[in-house]
Amino acid sequence: MRIQVLTQEDAFYIPRILDLLFEKRSDVVGVAIVPGELQAGRALRFLRMMGPRDFALQVLNLAWYRLLGFFDGLRPQGTSHSVAAAARRGRVPLERVPNVNAPGFITALRARGVDLLVSLACPQKLSGALLAVPVKGAINLHGALLPRYQGIFPSFWVLAKGERETGVTVHWMDEELDHGAVLLQRRVAIEPRDTVHRLVRRSKVDVGRHALLEALERIERGDAPRERMDMTRASYFTYPDAAAVREFRAHGRRFI
């Protein structure tokens, strides 16, 4: 099986998922980084959402991880601190792709003989033309129990809504966001001291990376489920506004 990963640049979560993926699988043929959340033009947006304290902590954390990422390039550390470092450690080809649905990229994947697409926080919807390339389909790792909490920042939203449980979903992808059939799910209890950062680490990273490996094994064996989502239970969330952040704070939660 020939696997292509679609993701975005990240310092905190995705590199840890990739480290394990590349350690356990020798059939990942490429990683494509798509422009995502880590862009300078979005700093003010995050400041307004997170508030001065959490934003400052996030900036400090990012600066520290960027420094560690620099040292990754000189000498690999125990854990990768960037997507590029993870790809380098795993000896997986890396490319930066402005648009995953561009004809040139689709042609390159077809020439590469890609059997399966794996989305890890890929910030772009996949077109029908792209989804038609891999013979085994495309899967996504989502940080909530779909079909509830479709959309972005699910770990923020479950805390804002006072949930006591969340989880991860590996699902088959179609042209709609967080919509395809469920392959597998794993539940995670929400703890009183969970911040957004801590919950993402405990759920999508610590649980999700193993769920992804299990999903890949089941696809390879040919017994991967396709359980249709019950869309009567669906909920969709987008970028948090001021009211959502107040609700989040009212539950005593923080981002960091």
Side-chain angles (χ1 to χ4, degrees):
M1 190 160 66
R2 296 173 65 81
I3 300 168
Q4 171 73 43
V5 174
L6 307 176
T7 189
Q8 60 178 292
E9 190 53 88
D10 174 64
F12 307 115
Y13 316 116
I14 297 171
R16 290 172 176 258
I17 299 173
L18 292 177
D19 278 346
L20 184 64
L21 176 64
F22 298 156
E23 176 188 338
K24 299 297 184 181
R25 305 283 313 195
S26 60
D27 50 1
V28 181
V29 297
V31 176
I33 297 179
V34 182
E37 293 298 327
L38 288 183
Q39 300 181 56
R42 301 190 179 185
L44 183 58
R45 188 181 193 185
F46 278 97
L47 172 60
R48 289 171 176 165
M49 179 181 72
M50 300 177 72
R53 174 198 176 274
D54 285 0
F55 180 77
L57 288 174
Q58 184 78 333
V59 170
L60 288 173
N61 283 342
L62 182 58
W64 175 243
Y65 273 67
R66 287 273 173 85
L67 179 62
L68 293 174
F70 170 76
F71 287 111
D72 281 341
L74 300 177
R75 182 178 180 181
Q77 309 298 304
T79 300
S80 298
H81 299 93
S82 70
V83 172
R88 188 164 51 246
R89 178 196 298 267
R91 299 184 178 181
V92 176
L94 175 77
E95 58 189 318
R96 298 184 184 274
V97 180
N99 179 7
V100 294
N101 298 305
F105 182 62
I106 292 174
T107 299
L109 292 184
R110 190 175 290 114
R112 206 171 292 165
V114 170
D115 297 309
L116 182 75
L117 295 177
V118 173
S119 168
L120 296 175
C122 178
Q124 297 177 1
K125 282 187 176 182
L126 308 193
S127 67
L130 177 57
L131 290 167
V133 172
V135 294
K136 293 185 181 294
I139 60 173
N140 177 54
L141 174 61
H142 184 75
L145 297 171
L146 294 173
R148 301 184 67 208
Y149 294 98
Q150 296 171 305
I152 63 174
F153 299 147
S155 292
F156 166 88
W157 286 108
V158 296
L159 294 177
K161 297 301 179 183
E163 298 284 0
R164 300 178 66 179
E165 181 183 63
T166 185
V168 297
T169 302
V170 180
H171 68 95
W172 298 96
M173 300 180 74
D174 58 24
E175 291 185 66
E176 297 185 49
L177 187 65
D178 299 332
H179 179 266
V182 172
L183 198 162
L184 62 81
Q185 293 184 317
R186 295 292 178 265
R187 298 181 178 275
V188 176
I190 295 175
E191 299 178 353
R193 62 194 185 103
D194 275 333
T195 61
V196 173
H197 174 70
R198 185 173 187 270
L199 184 57
V200 175
R201 287 282 292 269
R202 291 201 310 109
S203 58
K204 193 167 186 177
V205 178
D206 293 346
V207 175
R209 58 183 175 173
H210 293 285
L212 176 61
L213 287 175
E214 182 181 345
L216 293 174
E217 290 169 3
R218 298 196 69 173
I219 292 170
E220 202 164 36
R221 292 199 306 264
D223 63 357
R226 290 179 180 265
E227 298 180 8
R228 186 174 180 179
M229 291 187 194
D230 178 5
M231 300 310 292
T232 64
R233 300 175 52 248
S235 56
Y236 178 84
F237 295 89
T238 184
Y239 200 89
D241 59 14
V245 174
R246 286 194 296 271
E247 184 179 14
F248 172 80
R249 298 289 189 191
H251 286 285
R253 299 298 185 177
R254 292 186 178 276
F255 289 88
I256 304 296

